[in-house]
Amino acid sequence: MSLIPIRPGSSPGSGAERSDAARNRELLLCAARQLVEECGADGVTMDKLAERAGVGKGTVFRRFGSRAGLMMTLLSDAEAEFQGRFMFGPPPLGPGAPPLERLIAFGAERIRYVLEYGELARAAEASLHNRFEAPPAVLWHRHIEHLLRSAGFDADPWLMAMSLSATLDPDRLLHAVRVQHVSQERLEESWRQLVTRVAGGTVAP
Amino acid sequence: MSLIPIRPGSSPGSGAERSDAARNRELLLCAARQLVEECGADGVTMDKLAERAGVGKGTVFRRFGSRAGLMMTLLSDAEAEFQGRFMFGPPPLGPGAPPLERLIAFGAERIRYVLEYGELARAAEASLHNRFEAPPAVLWHRHIEHLLRSAGFDADPWLMAMSLSATLDPDRLLHAVRVQHVSQERLEESWRQLVTRVAGGTVAP
């Protein structure tokens, strides 16, 4: 089978270059994710990334354009990864666990995600013209609604899913942790209490 | 008993003028509240207010400085009135009713308030440096927390009160009603379901 050139005039040589570029890009993103894990998204700079990946700062700027460009790439990758896990991944977040267990796991993962991406998650939401109808927000809302229905909740699950989503607003979670010194564990436990009571289960002590 | 002049040099004559001014101000506010009730805060203009109160436009501007000034006065009056009712007013919103009934009434009143003040309630919140620690927000939070405790809820009532407050965010309520065409009754019923389940009561059919 012969390859169909993507653009007229592209040669096998430029194809190899493209796959080199893809590998380099993945390497840079990998280094960036390490940095996010170590110091939070707010602490990632183009300088630190260049240093960690062992490349020049120019290379980093050529790949992502700006720090904002890097952050949007990281966030959209993280979002896609998170979506993949709650829709297709292993239980309890993914299919296979009882709906209430999945709901509990969803909130816990969402809290971790917001705390990891910090200002970035907040800024991404604030920059949207309509944060309630951004594709990821719509998907989370539908997911919560679906789990509520599966758990037998029938008192307007669509609207209840909206209220439950509200309790996971990045702005509010970050304020609780950074300003009010609420621990991640406390947030996760409160979410568990909330959804267990709403979905009609028995709250374990 | 003789009156103590508020400022040196103020005479009984200027005292009478002040009380005239106070009466005129109250009259203008009364007209403004009528307009808010009829067409929502977003529909209130300085022209309409002058016409309704039967005064010149100049008088309206002298009293409130600008439309924003008028709106802040109305909002702070409405806020004070709302606070008075949930803290000292008649049941079920005020003291005397069981805590769950008070919680249900609180949300319903809050939803009505946000829908009545519309963009203004949203703008007032957005303009705050820290919307979670504005005095009214702190007061609502404490009130919900107190009612949760009184209803026997002991799984971190402070944090649960924060989550319940989140579901009443003006931004979110206005989006639901104006863009998603959710009725006020549906919002109130969903709040009733939410707090009844959280506070451990039996949800009436």
Side-chain angles (χ1 to χ4, degrees):
Chain A
M1 193 183 91
S2 67
L3 289 168
I4 299 166
I6 291 173
R7 274 172 299 186
S10 70
S11 66
S14 66
E17 267 170 84
R18 272 202 303 279
S19 91
D20 263 6
R23 265 196 303 276
N24 289 341
R25 185 177 174 281
E26 194 40 55
L27 217 86
L28 278 172
L29 283 176
C30 207
R33 278 192 288 269
Q34 284 176 8
L35 287 173
V36 168
E37 206 141 305
E38 287 165 27
C39 39
D42 304 347
V44 178
T45 63
M46 299 298 253
D47 278 323
K48 276 192 198 163
L49 177 54
E51 196 191 315
R52 172 66 57 102
V55 300
K57 203 174 159 181
T59 306
V60 176
F61 274 97
R62 264 196 306 283
R63 292 287 176 227
F64 302 107
S66 64
R67 184 175 180 277
L70 164 68
M71 288 303 169
M72 291 322 292
T73 307
L74 277 178
L75 199 64
S76 103
D77 281 10
E79 184 55 51
E81 194 261 348
F82 178 58
Q83 286 172 10
R85 284 195 299 133
F86 74 71
M87 290 193 300
F88 316 112
L93 185 60
L100 179 57
E101 295 303 310
R102 293 188 69 191
L103 208 46
I104 293 169
F106 179 84
E109 287 286 322
R110 193 71 201 135
I111 290 164
R112 271 173 235 152
Y113 175 93
V114 168
L115 298 186
E116 185 164 339
Y117 285 93
E119 287 311 315
L120 189 60
R122 168 146 67 183
E125 188 150 293
S127 74
L128 290 169
H129 171 62
N130 178 347
R131 65 191 174 103
F132 306 118
E133 287 175 16
V138 170
L139 195 64
W140 306 328
H141 184 175
R142 278 203 202 130
H143 184 63
I144 295 177
E145 181 189 356
H146 162 72
L147 293 177
L148 282 175
R149 283 186 198 278
S150 310
F153 181 93
D154 58 4
D156 206 340
W158 182 86
L159 198 50
M160 188 59 78
M162 192 184 83
S163 292
L164 294 179
S165 300
T167 72
L168 299 174
D169 270 349
D171 219 13
R172 198 168 282 272
L173 295 176
L174 289 170
H175 181 77
V177 169
R178 294 182 180 177
V179 182
Q180 299 172 315
H181 308 293
V182 175
S183 71
Q184 181 176 326
E185 292 68 34
R186 245 182 100 188
L187 287 174
E188 290 177 18
E189 172 57 19
S190 189
W191 167 263
R192 189 180 74 86
Q193 289 282 347
L194 176 65
V195 295
T196 304
R197 287 163 188 259
V198 165
T202 313
V203 182
Chain B
M1 192 183 94
S2 66
L3 290 166
I4 299 167
I6 291 173
R7 274 172 300 188
S10 69
S11 65
S14 65
E17 267 171 82
R18 270 203 303 280
S19 92
D20 264 7
R23 265 197 301 278
N24 289 341
R25 186 178 173 280
E26 195 40 55
L27 218 85
L28 278 171
L29 283 174
C30 207
R33 278 193 287 270
Q34 283 176 7
L35 286 172
V36 168
E37 206 142 304
E38 286 165 27
C39 39
D42 303 348
V44 178
T45 63
M46 299 299 253
D47 279 322
K48 275 192 199 163
L49 177 55
E51 196 192 316
R52 172 66 57 104
V55 299
K57 204 173 158 183
T59 306
V60 177
F61 274 97
R62 264 196 306 282
R63 292 288 176 226
F64 302 107
S66 63
R67 183 175 181 278
L70 165 67
M71 289 302 169
M72 291 322 293
T73 307
L74 278 178
L75 200 64
S76 103
D77 281 10
E79 183 56 50
E81 194 262 348
F82 177 59
Q83 286 172 11
R85 286 194 297 132
F86 75 72
M87 291 194 300
F88 316 112
L93 186 61
L100 179 56
E101 294 304 312
R102 293 187 69 190
L103 209 46
I104 292 170
F106 178 85
E109 288 287 322
R110 192 73 201 134
I111 290 164
R112 271 172 235 154
Y113 176 92
V114 168
L115 299 186
E116 186 164 338
Y117 285 94
E119 288 311 315
L120 188 62
R122 168 146 67 185
E125 187 150 292
S127 74
L128 290 168
H129 171 62
N130 179 347
R131 66 190 173 105
F132 306 118
E133 289 176 14
V138 169
L139 195 63
W140 306 327
H141 184 175
R142 278 203 204 130
H143 184 63
I144 296 177
E145 180 189 355
H146 162 72
L147 294 177
L148 282 175
R149 283 185 198 277
S150 309
F153 181 93
D154 58 4
D156 205 340
W158 182 87
L159 199 48
M160 188 59 79
M162 193 184 82
S163 292
L164 293 179
S165 301
T167 72
L168 299 173
D169 270 349
D171 218 13
R172 197 168 283 271
L173 294 176
L174 289 170
H175 181 77
V177 169
R178 295 183 179 176
V179 182
Q180 298 173 316
H181 308 293
V182 175
S183 71
Q184 183 177 324
E185 293 68 34
R186 247 181 99 189
L187 287 174
E188 290 178 17
E189 171 58 18
S190 190
W191 168 263
R192 189 180 74 86
Q193 288 283 345
L194 176 65
V195 293
T196 304
R197 287 162 188 260
V198 165
T202 312
V203 182

